[in-house]
Amino acid sequence: MKIFTIGYLGWKKQSLIEVLKKNGIKTLVDVRRSPKSKNPDWDKSSILTSCRLNGMEYVSFTNLGLEYKDWHNAEWRTAYKKYAEENIELTKQQLSRLTQPIALMCKEKKHEHCHRAILAEVLKNHNCDIIHIKEEGEDSGTIQTSRMLDDWC
């Protein structure tokens, strides 16, 4: 299974939708613990509407989320990695039921600063191909492959 990841910070919503379309994404998977934002463009209902208008599906998997405040705590990152590993078969099953290809979305611009890096690494270790879409302004819309995260957890 090929899985893309993207962080919305720094993107205009329509630009993010366009780069998802450019990469052939059919389903956007919101992996935030709480799919709301101070910026109304990034609230669940707004993203859902934009995805539908652009021929994409949107789903929210809050069970894959991690509270932002927890990300900076090494113990929480370690606990999240353990949680992701223990639930990998269920996660892969949930993701495989979606229209492919999919993109995991969270707030953080750089995947290495977000829990989706841990989730992506666990998925990669279980035979998923992971592609991180770079943020706007850094060859926006191009892709890079996952890197190892042993030093993070």
Side-chain angles (χ1 to χ4, degrees), residues 5 31 64-65 80-81 84-85 88 91 95 104 114-125 130 149:
T5 80
V31 295
L64 297 178
Y80 182 79
K81 184 174 183 179
E85 288 171 345
I88 189 63
T91 300
L95 296 177
L104 306 178
C114 181
H115 77 286
R116 72 179 188 275
I118 296 171
L119 180 58
E121 193 65 36
V122 171
L123 287 163
K124 181 180 175 185
N125 291 338
I130 303 297
L149 297 168

Side-chain angles (χ1 to χ4, degrees), residues 30-53:
D30 193 335
V31 295
R32 294 177 291 171
R33 170 69 67 194
S34 179
K36 48 188 163 177
S37 172
K38 291 177 185 175
N39 180 340
D41 278 349
W42 301 111
D43 277 344
K44 179 180 178 176
S45 62
S46 179
I47 298 169
L48 173 64
T49 299
S50 293
C51 284
R52 284 185 177 164
L53 289 173

Side-chain angles (χ1 to χ4, degrees), residues 2 7 10 21 25 28 57 100 116 126 134 136-137:
K2 184 190 291 188
K21 287 169 52 176
I25 303 304
L28 182 61
E57 296 174 28
Q100 304 291 320
R116 72 179 188 275
H126 287 84
K134 292 182 181 180
E136 191 169 33

Side-chain angles (χ1 to χ4, degrees), residues 88-126:
I88 189 63
E89 292 308 318
L90 176 61
T91 300
K92 284 179 65 175
Q93 186 179 58
Q94 286 178 314
L95 296 177
S96 69
R97 291 181 181 151
L98 302 173
T99 305
Q100 304 291 320
I102 65 170
L104 306 178
M105 182 199 73
C106 195
K107 177 183 176 182
E108 289 300 320
K109 183 185 292 191
K110 296 186 177 197
H111 69 277
E112 60 267 22
H113 296 158
C114 181
H115 77 286
R116 72 179 188 275
I118 296 171
L119 180 58
E121 193 65 36
V122 171
L123 287 163
K124 181 180 175 185
N125 291 338
H126 287 84

Side-chain angles (χ1 to χ4, degrees), residues 42-73:
W42 301 111
D43 277 344
K44 179 180 178 176
S45 62
S46 179
I47 298 169
L48 173 64
T49 299
S50 293
C51 284
R52 284 185 177 164
L53 289 173
N54 285 278
M56 280 187 277
E57 296 174 28
Y58 168 87
V59 295
S60 174
F61 286 174
T62 58
N63 63 306
L64 297 178
L66 181 69
E67 291 294 334
Y68 177 76
K69 65 181 174 50
D70 298 336
W71 172 248
H72 301 286
N73 179 319

